[in-house]
Amino acid sequence: MKKTQPNPDQVRELLYQALETEQGGIKIYQAALKCAINDDLRDEWQEYLEQTRTHEKVLLNVFEQLGLDPKQRPPGREVVGHIGASLVAAIELARKSASAEAAQLVAAECVVLAETKDHANWELIGQLVENAQADQLDVLKQAFEAVETDEDHHLYHTKGWSRELWIQALGLPAVLPPPEELKQVETAIGAARAEQARGRML
């Protein structure tokens, strides 16, 4: 497929949303960690928090190389920031008003929502790197390669944690840590296979 010139305004929009997602993700993990009562989950979230801080630094480097102001807040970034703050507020509300188990579950769901957006951002950056032609894409390619594996891991593993914590809350046999964790899943296909295999792991 012939590579095409990307829309520069939308490239900037994506980058600002991606930066806001990572910065909001740091706050979401900090809030979620206060709700973690499962030791394995706490360790997992602590690792993801540190990786998210690294992802923020990767994007700040991209902004510097592309001459973008990381403090600028276009409308799309404001929306992403509002959603992130709402997820933090939801976690804090659950921690204050629900049982420890329920708060942990709410935190897990909020992490999944945040990581879904985060993963989508980096998928789109990957699309740019693969299908577009522009001077700035070498910078984005380096960033994508530095972050992609972490983002796959975060999304598929957090979805597994959320599912298994819900199953446990329902009073059904759960696999904890989840199959995605035990099988070190890094792809959508791997995640699907891990979920299918959970019955054999009970």
Side-chain angles (χ1 to χ4, degrees), residues 14-91:
L14 175 59
L15 291 176
Y16 276 106
Q17 289 195 22
L19 179 60
E20 186 66 26
T21 303
E22 299 294 356
Q23 291 175 338
I26 291 169
K27 297 173 184 175
I28 289 165
Y29 277 117
Q30 288 171 334
L33 277 163
K34 296 175 184 177
C35 299
I37 55 177
N38 180 293
D39 290 340
D40 291 319
L41 180 58
R42 184 184 301 108
D43 291 345
E44 191 91 347
W45 281 348
Q46 186 63 51
E47 179 184 357
Y48 294 176
L49 171 60
E50 296 308 318
Q51 290 172 343
T52 301
R53 287 179 171 138
T54 299
H55 300 170
E56 180 196 22
K57 292 176 183 176
V58 168
L59 277 170
L60 287 172
N61 182 58
V62 168
F63 272 62
E64 182 179 356
Q65 293 188 62
L66 298 183
L68 297 174
D69 179 3
K71 295 182 180 179
Q72 188 177 340
R73 300 194 65 83
R77 180 178 185 176
E78 290 288 0
V79 171
V80 172
H82 178 78
I83 293 170
S86 298
L87 293 176
V88 171
I91 293 170

Side-chain angles (χ1 to χ4, degrees), residues 27 38 64 76 90 94 108 125 129 137 139 141 177 180:
K27 297 173 184 175
N38 180 293
E64 182 179 356
I125 291 171
V129 169
L137 293 183
V139 175
K141 185 174 187 291
E180 291 85 351

Side-chain angles (χ1 to χ4, degrees), residues 4-198:
T4 58
Q5 288 290 327
N7 180 329
D9 291 337
Q10 284 305 116
V11 172
R12 285 192 294 272
E13 176 67 28
L14 175 59
L15 291 176
Y16 276 106
Q17 289 195 22
L19 179 60
E20 186 66 26
T21 303
E22 299 294 356
Q23 291 175 338
I26 291 169
K27 297 173 184 175
I28 289 165
Y29 277 117
Q30 288 171 334
L33 277 163
K34 296 175 184 177
C35 299
I37 55 177
N38 180 293
D39 290 340
D40 291 319
L41 180 58
R42 184 184 301 108
D43 291 345
E44 191 91 347
W45 281 348
Q46 186 63 51
E47 179 184 357
Y48 294 176
L49 171 60
E50 296 308 318
Q51 290 172 343
T52 301
R53 287 179 171 138
T54 299
H55 300 170
E56 180 196 22
K57 292 176 183 176
V58 168
L59 277 170
L60 287 172
N61 182 58
V62 168
F63 272 62
E64 182 179 356
Q65 293 188 62
L66 298 183
L68 297 174
D69 179 3
K71 295 182 180 179
Q72 188 177 340
R73 300 194 65 83
R77 180 178 185 176
E78 290 288 0
V79 171
V80 172
H82 178 78
I83 293 170
S86 298
L87 293 176
V88 171
I91 293 170
E92 291 176 347
L93 176 62
R95 189 165 67 92
K96 293 175 183 176
S97 62
S99 68
E101 290 79 8
Q104 178 178 249
L105 182 51
V106 168
E109 289 190 317
C110 289
V111 167
V112 169
L113 291 171
E115 287 294 354
T116 299
K117 169 61 174 168
D118 204 5
H119 189 267
N121 291 338
W122 285 100
E123 276 193 325
L124 290 169
I125 291 171
Q127 287 290 326
L128 278 172
V129 169
E130 184 177 350
N131 298 308
Q133 184 175 7
D135 294 338
Q136 67 214 33
L137 293 183
D138 285 344
V139 175
L140 294 182
K141 185 174 187 291
Q142 292 174 7
F144 178 73
E145 290 174 349
V147 170
E148 177 194 17
T149 301
D150 287 348
E151 293 299 345
D152 288 339
H153 186 102
H154 291 188
L155 178 61
Y156 302 129
H157 288 232
T158 53
K159 287 176 73 173
W161 275 104
S162 180
R163 181 192 65 243
E164 296 301 325
L165 289 173
W166 252 112
I167 289 171
Q168 183 183 56
L170 290 168
L172 302 174
V175 180
L176 291 169
E180 291 85 351
E181 183 74 9
L182 297 172
K183 292 181 174 291
Q184 288 300 304
V185 164
E186 305 291 351
T187 65
I189 292 174
R193 289 174 176 165
E195 186 173 358
Q196 290 174 352
R198 68 175 303 278

